[in-house]
Amino acid sequence: MMSREHIELCQDEGLCCHCGKAIRWGEDAVYSITGAHYDCQFPNGREAVLGITTLLRPSVGFGTSTIPALARANGGHMLHWVTPSTGKGLCGHQPKDNAWRMKSRAKWFLVPDGADVTGRKVCGKCAERHARLMADQEQCEIHG
């Protein structure tokens, strides 16, 4: 653990407190708390340090599977069938990122397998497309 004095000295000198190299402010990715290079602060990536396996972002999806999963958008009430590899609902819906003053909050919350969704509203377009997709898949297995 670095001392506060060491961190303050490095920040005053414009050096990374881990590697000792100069920091080019505005050009290098800097971890603001210690003033260190971001790569020096998190050599294995921030997700590995925090124990996060995957981040749920609609732009990159939340997995590699192409089989739709039931999910709810952050702040939403309707359930959608979402393709994990794309992060898009079968109806084309993506979580809205309306946070103009705070960090991005657009993400999906997966519905656990076996959860009771009887009181929840499921998107009609997603349900229709999912039923059609499952019927097509059954036809392929029967004739396959």
Side-chain angles (χ1 to χ4, degrees):
M1 184 96 181
M2 285 182 269
S3 68
R4 183 181 200 132
E5 292 80 23
H6 176 71
I7 293 171
E8 288 176 357
L9 176 69
C10 290
Q11 286 178 341
D12 291 341
E13 295 295 320
L15 303 173
C16 175
C17 52
H18 290 286
C19 68
K21 294 180 182 175
I23 292 179
R24 297 172 298 170
W25 294 98
E27 295 179 28
D28 293 335
V30 177
Y31 184 62
S32 62
I33 295 173
T34 61
H37 291 113
Y38 205 83
D39 292 334
C40 296
Q41 184 73 30
F42 302 108
N44 297 329
R46 185 170 181 184
E47 291 81 13
V49 173
L50 297 176
I52 302 170
T53 55
T54 57
L55 295 176
L56 302 179
R57 292 192 189 120
S59 59
V60 294
F62 51 89
T64 57
S65 175
T66 57
I67 299 170
L70 202 56
R72 176 181 65 84
N74 188 17
H77 64 281
M78 191 175 295
L79 298 176
H80 292 271
W81 285 99
V82 181
T83 306
S85 60
T86 62
K88 265 188 158 178
L90 293 179
C91 65
H93 178 78
Q94 284 185 292
K96 304 294 186 282
D97 190 12
N98 297 333
W100 59 277
R101 293 184 67 174
M102 297 181 286
K103 66 180 182 176
S104 172
R105 298 190 184 280
K107 58 186 167 186
W108 290 107
F109 292 113
L110 291 175
V111 175
D113 290 336
D116 183 25
V117 293
T118 53
R120 294 296 199 130
K121 185 174 181 183
V122 179
C123 173
K125 287 182 183 178
C126 284
E128 178 185 314
R129 289 181 181 157
H130 183 258
R132 194 176 328 129
L133 187 70
M134 292 297 116
D136 291 345
Q137 195 172 28
E138 283 182 24
Q139 289 290 342
C140 289
E141 290 174 2
I142 292 172
H143 297 292

